[in-house]
């Protein structure tokens, strides 16, 4: 038996490129024998939201009702149904007033926490000296994978060797970036040979521009980097080790930064400590430092010193007393005074609980440095690799794309003739990868790229579907690509698609209308080919000829998408807005209203920094709720609610923290109980709102404390003085005016309508502006603007 005394073996973690982790498991299996190696099982339990959905399904409760109840449960890791019923008034109300909901929740509360399913542990692999069946029961999964029946803790308890083979995306990022560099520049970059004193790399850290940098991209870490301004690898190693709850709470991090910048004098109790602690400015940050101090000052062997470190970390009083006396005897014998030896031991005891393994921190800090080196010196290649890895994580993708914009890295939209599977570096910029488009799998992309290679260039949907494997590239795939704008270049090349120019809404609407006939034609053509039949009047365009798509002609009169539809489809297909932002259509009104853009907030906050004071706004009173309103700069901003996190104050009042975004970025907004009570119905993901409140500046980070949240619709209705429409004739004539008259009748109000009409067909077009206020008055709204655009075309209406 590998470990007959059942001694707990060390937990061995090894990181690999996530794409090749499977190869490592295969290698271990072949080396030690298939019967001796298995992955470890893990058990999924019924969490609050999941158990409600399971029970609702089994009770045949309509999905809409189950979904409504499940979404009322806050999605935090420690949330339970009992806790949710206490904290969420709407959930308690549904439980009290709806018998079916009450029954569902009662059953769900009994099942909550029970094991729901078994799956394979994300990293754990067990290796035994003989067949595993001699030590542990095995389990065969639904995909015929063999795992242990015992989970990780039980495997450790019986003394088997457990390895964690972790797939680390940063290693994949480094590999991909180096490969991009080799392909595009011919340079063979060896990351193990890069200089460790590169000024541009340390500037990345010192400015906190560490999005995408392993271990260093959290907001808290970015704040610390901006304060610490690391200048060497040792600084990164120390900050990585110190960025944990214990050191942060104890003030060790602030002490480290103050010593680094010379604000606090670095002094050592005895000269022997200087070579041990100099790299961390006299702060005991590493477990290895505790071991070395005990060895150098008190004569402990390294093994004895490590036992001392473990005793200190576990706060074992009995062992500690014996070790203290042993340390005092050894230190005084070697010439240290009893008073200083006592003080040094007390410092060791205090810091040992916070100490981190330096070897671990060093490996991760070096990995972070290599990543930052690529970001600083090869920004396009770094961006391509990072965006590819995060292409399915919409939230991160949006953040990284915004940072690309801020750092001057051009990112080009998806294009059926330019894009590949992943994000790629081109002479013009980083081209969007097709794999980032929702509902488009790798098999479908491979089929499209194969057609592109065979045709040289895809010139039409019709021609593309002639050769595509339509079992892989179905209608849904093509719809997603159209919504994402991947076919825009084809649509634009097909001739004038909208009077006055080719607008994206018109292009994409026509392309969408051609998908069905193009697919049907492709199916028929491929079926005929398989039967050996040739088209009677067949033939293909001459080499280099870009034939127009015959199916587009039949879609000439398809109603164009409005800008709202176009952007909504982009969000659906890409997970983010690309060609614009919904807030753009109300930007002028927001400016009239006095609202700032999110991009202007930092300058506004800095301007009012004296009034704000230095507080971070997240400590102290406000009636005991754990937040404090600072005396900040009054401001209003408009944007879309990207996410919302509901909280409870210490008094039990409900509040929320939302991420508000516009085309310039995003900002965290704290909505206190008073404002939340008035605006809870408005605060939903995707809602377009105006927030009024006070700005707070914490180093470089800006937050907003909301005093009022209003739907933009309400602001527009309050501020808009007129509805202005601009159209041309032709194509618009009597039918357009009749349709507008019917529409205005449904939206009667007290605001005027103006119509600007450009008359064409003459040598000099005539522009006429008419004020319809005497005959027509309307109530402005987003719905009205959208319906006017349906009649007149995208971009023809403005609320002033």
């Amino acid at each position: 038996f590998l470990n007959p005394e059942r001694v707990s073996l060390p937990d061995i973690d090894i990181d690999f490129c996530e794409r090749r982790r499977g190869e490592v498991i295969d290698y271990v299996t072949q080396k030690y024998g298939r019967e001796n190696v298995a992955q470890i099982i893990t058990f999924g339990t019924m969490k609050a939201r999941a158990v409600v959905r399971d029970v609702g399904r089994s009770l045949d409760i309509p999905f809409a009702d189950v979904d409504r109840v499940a979404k009322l449960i806050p999605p935090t890791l420690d949330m339970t149904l009992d806790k949710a019923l206490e904290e969420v008034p709407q959930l308690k109300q549904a439980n009290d007033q709806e018998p079916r909901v009450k029954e569902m929740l009662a059953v769900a509360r009994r099942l909550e926490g029970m094991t729901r399913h078994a799956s394979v542990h994300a990293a754990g692999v067990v290796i035994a000296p003989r067949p595993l069946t001699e030590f542990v029961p095995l389990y065969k999964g639904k995909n015929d994978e063999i795992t242990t029946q015992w989970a990780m803790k039980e495997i450790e308890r019986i003394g088997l060797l457990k390895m964690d083979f972790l797939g680390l995306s940063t290693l994949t990022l480094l590999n991909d970036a180096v490969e991009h560099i080799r392909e595009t520049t011919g340079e063979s970059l060896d990351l193990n040979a890069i200089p460790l004193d590169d000024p541009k790399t340390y500037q990345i850290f010192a400015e906190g521009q560490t999005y995408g940098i392993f271990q260093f991209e959290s907001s808290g870490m970015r704040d610390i980097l901006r304060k610490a301004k690391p200048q060497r690898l040792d600084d990164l190693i120390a900050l990585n080790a110190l960025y944990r709850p214990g050191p942060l709470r104890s003030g060790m991090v602030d002490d480290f930064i103050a010593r680094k910048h010379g604000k606090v004098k670095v002094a050592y109790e005895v000269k022997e400590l200087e070579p041990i602690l100099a790299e961390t400015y006299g702060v005991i940050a590493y477990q290895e430092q505790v071991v070395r101090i005990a060895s150098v000052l008190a004569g402990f062997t390294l093994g004895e010193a490590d036992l001392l470190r473990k005793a200190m970390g576990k706060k074992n009083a009995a062992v500690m007393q014996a070790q203290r006396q042993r340390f005092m005897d050894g230190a005084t014998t070697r010439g240290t005074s009893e008073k200083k030896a006592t003080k040094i031991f007390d410092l060791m005891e205090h810091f040992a609980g916070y100490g981190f393994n330096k070897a671990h921190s060093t490996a991760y800090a070096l990995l972070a440095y290599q990543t930052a080196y690529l970001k600083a010196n090869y920004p396009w290649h770094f961006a391509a690799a990072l965006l590819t890895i995060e292409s399915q994580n919409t939230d991160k993708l949006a953040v990284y794309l915004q940072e690309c914009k801020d750092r001057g890295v051009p990112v080009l939209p998806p294009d059926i003739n330019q894009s590949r599977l992943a994000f790629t570096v081109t002479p013009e910029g980083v081209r969007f990868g097709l794999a980032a488009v929702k509902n488009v799998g790798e098999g479908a992309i491979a089929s499209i790229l194969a057609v592109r290679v065979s045709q040289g260039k895809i010139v039409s949907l019709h021609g593309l579907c002639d050769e595509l494997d339509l079992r892989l590239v179905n209608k849904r795939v093509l719809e997603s690509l159209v919504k994402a704008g991947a076919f825009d270049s084809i649509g634009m090349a097909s001739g004038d698609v909208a009077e006055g120019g080719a607008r994206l809404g018109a292009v994409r609407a026509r392309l969408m209308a051609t998908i069905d006939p193009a697919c049907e034609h492709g199916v028929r053509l491929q079926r005929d080919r398989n039967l050996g039949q040739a088209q009677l009047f067949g033939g293909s365009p001459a080499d280099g000829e870009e034939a127009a798509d015959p199916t587009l002609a039949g879609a000439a009169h398809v109603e164009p998408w409005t800008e709202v539809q176009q952007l909504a489809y982009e969000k659906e297909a890409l997970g983010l807005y690309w060609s614009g932002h919904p807030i753009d259509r109300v930007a002028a009104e927001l400016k009239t209203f006095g609202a700032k853009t999110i991009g202007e907030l930092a300058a506004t906050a800095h301007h009012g920094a004296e009034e704000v004071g230095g507080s971070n706004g997240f400590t102290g009173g406000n009636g005991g709720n754990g937040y404090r309103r600072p005396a900040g700069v009054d401001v209003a901003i408009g944007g879309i609610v990207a996410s919302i996190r509901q909280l409870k104050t210490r008094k039990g009042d409900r509040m929320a923290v939302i991420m508000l975004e516009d085309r310039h970025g995003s900002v965290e907004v704290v909505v206190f109980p008073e404002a939340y009570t008035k605006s809870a119905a408005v605060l939903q993901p995707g809602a377009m709102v105006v927030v009024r409140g006070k700005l707070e500046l914490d180093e470089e980070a800006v937050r907003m404390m909301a005093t009022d949240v209003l739907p933009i619709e309400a602001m527009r209705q309050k501020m808009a003085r007129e509805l202005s429409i601009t159209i041309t004739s032709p194509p618009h004539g009597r039918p357009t005016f009749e349709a507008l008259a019917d529409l205005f009748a449904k939206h009667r109000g007290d605001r005027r309508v103006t119509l600007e009409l450009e008359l064409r067909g003459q040598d000099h077009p005539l522009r006429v502006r008419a004020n319809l206020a005497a005959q027509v008055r309307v109530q402005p709204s987003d719905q009205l603007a959208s319906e006017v655009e349906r009649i007149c075309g995208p971009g023809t209406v403005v609320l002033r």
Side-chain angles (χ1 to χ4, degrees), residues 462 465 512-524 551-552 555:
H462 186 273
C465 290
M512 186 68 79
T514 68
I515 290 175
D516 277 341
C519 287
E520 290 169 4
H521 181 272
V523 168
R524 288 196 303 270
T551 58
L552 279 175

Side-chain angles (χ1 to χ4, degrees), residues 36-53:
N36 296 7
V37 178
Q39 291 182 262
I40 298 173
I41 202 168
T42 186
F43 297 103
T45 57
M46 293 188 175
K47 303 293 185 184
R49 276 191 168 189
V51 72
V52 165
R53 294 187 186 278

Side-chain angles (χ1 to χ4, degrees), residues 239-312:
L239 289 173
N240 192 36
L242 290 171
Y243 189 70
R244 292 173 293 115
L248 288 169
R249 283 195 302 265
S250 70
M252 283 178 65
V253 177
D254 293 333
D255 189 29
F256 174 87
I257 293 171
R259 290 171 181 234
K260 179 184 183 301
H261 293 307
K263 296 177 181 178
V264 172
K265 184 179 179 181
V266 179
Y268 305 96
E269 289 297 324
V270 294
K271 68 179 187 304
E272 290 85 355
L273 290 180
E274 184 171 357
I276 300 173
L277 301 180
E279 62 180 331
T280 52
Y281 309 101
V283 174
I284 302 175
Y286 309 124
Q287 295 171 350
E288 288 90 338
Q289 288 173 323
V290 173
V291 171
R292 286 185 64 198
I293 291 170
S295 176
V296 171
L297 260 64
F300 280 52
T301 66
L302 292 180
E304 290 171 338
D306 194 49
L307 291 175
L308 171 63
R309 176 197 60 82
K310 289 180 181 177
M312 286 180 168

Side-chain angles (χ1 to χ4, degrees), residues 487-755:
F487 285 105
D488 286 353
S489 58
I490 290 177
M492 295 290 188
S494 298
D496 286 335
V497 295
E499 186 66 28
R503 296 191 180 97
L504 287 181
V507 170
R508 294 178 188 176
R510 287 188 64 196
L511 285 165
M512 186 68 79
T514 68
I515 290 175
D516 277 341
C519 287
E520 290 169 4
H521 181 272
V523 168
R524 288 196 303 270
L525 183 64
Q526 291 180 36
R527 182 188 59 214
D528 291 347
R529 282 181 188 150
N530 292 335
L531 294 174
Q533 299 175 3
Q535 290 178 293
L536 184 60
F537 301 103
S540 59
D543 290 343
E545 181 184 349
E546 295 188 9
D549 190 336
T551 58
L552 279 175
H557 302 294
V558 171
E559 188 174 1
W561 291 346
T562 65
E563 185 183 14
V564 172
Q565 286 177 307
Q566 173 188 317
L567 293 175
Y569 284 141
E570 284 181 0
K571 180 83 170 178
E572 176 189 326
L574 297 174
L576 46 89
Y577 302 109
W578 185 264
S579 61
H581 196 283
I583 206 72
D584 292 346
R585 65 183 298 120
V586 294
E589 293 129 282
L590 286 169
K591 190 172 183 180
T592 303
F593 186 65
K596 302 284 186 183
T597 67
I598 290 173
E600 296 170 332
L601 292 185
T604 304
H606 278 286
H607 181 71
E610 291 184 6
E611 292 85 351
V612 174
S615 167
N616 63 14
F618 284 78
T619 57
N622 192 32
N625 64 15
Y627 287 79
R628 183 176 64 77
R629 286 192 179 100
V633 182
D634 289 309
V635 73
I637 55 175
I640 289 179
V641 178
S643 64
I644 180 168
R645 180 162 48 97
Q646 295 181 340
L647 304 169
K648 285 187 74 173
T649 68
R650 292 174 189 163
K651 284 185 172 181
D653 298 326
R654 294 189 63 74
M655 60 178 293
V657 177
I658 65 172
M659 287 302 296
L660 193 72
E661 67 172 29
D662 66 9
R663 69 176 299 116
H664 301 282
S666 60
V667 66
E668 185 178 82
V669 179
V670 179
V671 186
F672 291 103
E674 183 180 347
Y676 181 80
T677 301
K678 295 185 292 184
S679 60
V682 176
L683 290 173
Q684 301 293 332
M688 205 179 299
V689 298
V690 176
V691 178
R692 287 187 287 206
K694 295 183 182 296
L695 280 185
E696 172 204 88
L697 179 66
D698 178 15
E699 289 295 316
E700 297 298 319
V702 176
R703 297 185 184 90
M704 187 170 181
M705 309 299 159
T707 55
D708 201 10
V709 182
L710 297 171
I712 279 184
E713 182 75 6
M715 182 274 293
R716 297 184 77 191
Q717 293 178 10
K718 180 179 179 181
M719 298 295 295
R721 299 184 301 276
E722 71 176 29
L723 181 81
S724 177
I725 305 170
T726 303
I727 56 176
T728 59
S729 177
H732 296 291
R734 186 182 185 89
T736 296
F737 301 136
E738 290 175 347
L740 287 174
D742 292 340
L743 178 60
F744 295 153
K746 298 176 184 176
H747 293 268
R748 294 186 187 279
D750 59 355
R751 309 301 163 88
R752 64 178 179 264
V753 177
T754 60
L755 178 66

Side-chain angles (χ1 to χ4, degrees), residues 93-112:
Q93 182 180 359
N95 184 63
D96 294 341
Q97 298 179 2
E98 302 177 45
R100 291 287 278 164
V101 171
K102 185 173 185 177
E103 179 189 8
M104 177 174 66
L105 290 177
V107 175
R109 288 164 73 186
R110 291 198 295 271
L111 295 175
E112 186 179 15

Side-chain angles (χ1 to χ4, degrees), residues 47-63:
K47 303 293 185 184
R49 276 191 168 189
V51 72
V52 165
R53 294 187 186 278
D54 285 346
V55 171
R57 187 163 52 249
S58 65
L59 293 178
D60 290 328
I61 297 175
F63 172 79

Side-chain angles (χ1 to χ4, degrees), residues 438-482:
K438 309 295 182 188
N439 305 317
V440 181
E442 292 191 14
I445 296 171
S447 181
I448 291 171
L449 296 181
V451 174
R452 194 167 84 191
V453 169
S454 69
Q455 294 184 350
K457 180 180 180 182
I458 296 169
V459 298
S460 71
L461 262 171
H462 186 273
L464 175 64
C465 290
D466 285 353
E467 294 189 35
L468 273 180
D469 184 342
L470 293 171
R471 295 166 300 178
L472 294 174
V473 188
N474 55 28
K475 177 183 175 183
R476 188 184 185 195
V477 170
L478 294 173
E479 286 177 347
S480 292
L481 290 169
V482 168

